[in-house]
Amino acid sequence: QIDNLDAIVIPVGGGGLIAGVATAVKALKKEVEIIGVESVSCPGMKNALTQGGPTPTESIPSLADGLAVSVVGVNSYHNAKGQIDRMITVNEADIAVAVLRLIELEKVVPEGSGACGVAALLSGQLDDLKGKRVATIVTGGNIDSTALNRCIERGMAHDHRLIRFSVVVSDRPGAINELTSYISDLGVSIKDMITDRPYQRHDIFSVRVNIIAETRGHEHAEKLNAHEEARYGAVDCTFKHMPYSAK
């Protein structure tokens, strides 16, 4: 379907897909690079290639549950070895962002496993392929609504479009209204808000307000944080501790 490819990025679970693609592609054009992608939650093929054969690999819950194969297929392994140029792993944040990107930009709804090839490209591990012709295979659309919602929310959190922060304000009447009005004036949408009086450590006439809000992205979130710190002092903003996906 695509001419003059330089590389193909393929999600790997049991190994059948990459074994078949690698065998066919290498027979037609040996110089095409075959790159396998697994979740860090279950790197079965990577372990098999390292150990010299299919090896039981511990699997932990992952958005890429379709790739969580503890032992790759024996036939798949023997057909694929020597034809896979490199194996890489992607984390949960990469997968969530990839699902979000495919939904928003390509109007494709993949399961986590199917988005792993895109996750690899977004993760920064394949930056050496910039400027080259690269294909990835989006495999699988069997995602339930609960998992899809979690992928979207987690992807938005790593985009800093969904942030969580807390700020201490006076507990006098109208103080929280001032806070929410101030946030609204900055164009930020409040999704959830909880007040914490018994457990906060400031004086008894203060209240900690925990807020989940939606922004337009990283710069907008940074602007909100700067304004909140200038107005209220220290702000505990969790997005500052999360890796930011700018891709």
Side-chain angles (χ1 to χ4, degrees):
Q1 291 179 320
I2 305 173
D3 294 328
N4 303 318
L5 276 178
D6 296 303
I8 303 177
V9 185
I10 307 167
V12 180
L17 179 65
I18 195 168
V21 171
T23 300
V25 170
K26 291 292 188 180
L28 296 170
K29 195 174 183 181
K30 287 184 177 293
E31 58 270 29
V32 175
E33 186 176 9
I34 300 295
I35 303 168
V37 184
E38 295 176 300
S39 166
V40 294
S41 302
C42 188
M45 181 62 82
K46 187 174 183 179
N47 287 347
L49 293 172
T50 301
Q51 299 295 328
T55 304
T57 300
E58 181 182 1
S59 176
I60 60 177
S62 169
L63 294 173
D65 54 345
L67 302 184
V69 180
S70 59
V71 182
V72 298
V74 174
N75 291 334
S76 297
Y77 166 77
H78 285 287
N79 281 299
K81 71 174 183 177
Q83 306 208 72
I84 298 175
D85 295 292
R86 50 176 153 162
M87 289 290 307
I88 65 173
T89 57
V90 291
N91 61 36
E92 295 297 287
D94 296 328
I95 297 170
V97 171
V99 171
L100 182 62
R101 291 288 185 275
L102 284 166
I103 292 171
E104 290 187 320
L105 302 179
E106 299 298 329
K107 314 305 177 189
V108 171
V109 183
E111 60 186 270
S113 304
C116 278
V118 175
L121 294 168
L122 295 177
S123 70
Q125 298 181 74
L126 298 176
D127 284 353
D128 58 298
L129 297 178
K130 287 181 178 179
K132 297 183 178 181
R133 289 178 62 82
V134 181
T136 185
I137 302 174
V138 180
T139 58
N142 300 313
I143 187 169
D144 61 60
S145 57
T146 300
L148 178 60
N149 182 61
R150 290 175 181 173
C151 280
I152 292 172
E153 289 188 335
R154 186 165 295 189
M156 290 184 68
H158 284 277
D159 265 352
H160 296 171
R161 291 157 59 190
L162 194 65
I163 65 172
R164 184 179 66 189
F165 66 95
S166 66
V167 59
V168 176
V169 301
S170 169
D171 204 14
R172 64 179 172 79
I176 293 179
N177 181 61
E178 288 179 7
L179 170 64
T180 56
S181 296
Y182 184 67
I183 293 172
S184 175
D185 289 343
L186 289 173
V188 176
S189 176
I190 296 174
K191 295 302 181 184
D192 196 12
M193 182 173 69
I194 300 174
T195 56
D196 175 10
R197 288 178 178 85
Y199 299 105
Q200 63 98 3
R201 298 181 179 180
H202 291 73
D203 63 81
I204 62 172
F205 301 106
S206 299
V207 58
R208 179 174 292 278
V209 185
N210 302 304
I211 295 174
I212 295 176
E214 185 176 344
T215 72
R216 292 190 294 272
H218 179 69
E219 291 184 1
H220 196 198
E222 289 280 14
K223 180 180 178 180
L224 170 66
N225 183 67
H227 280 71
E228 292 292 312
E229 287 185 344
R231 189 178 182 96
Y232 295 103
V235 177
D236 181 14
C237 204
T238 55
F239 85 88
K240 292 187 291 185
H241 310 295
M242 295 184 70
Y244 170 52
S245 173
K247 301 182 180 182

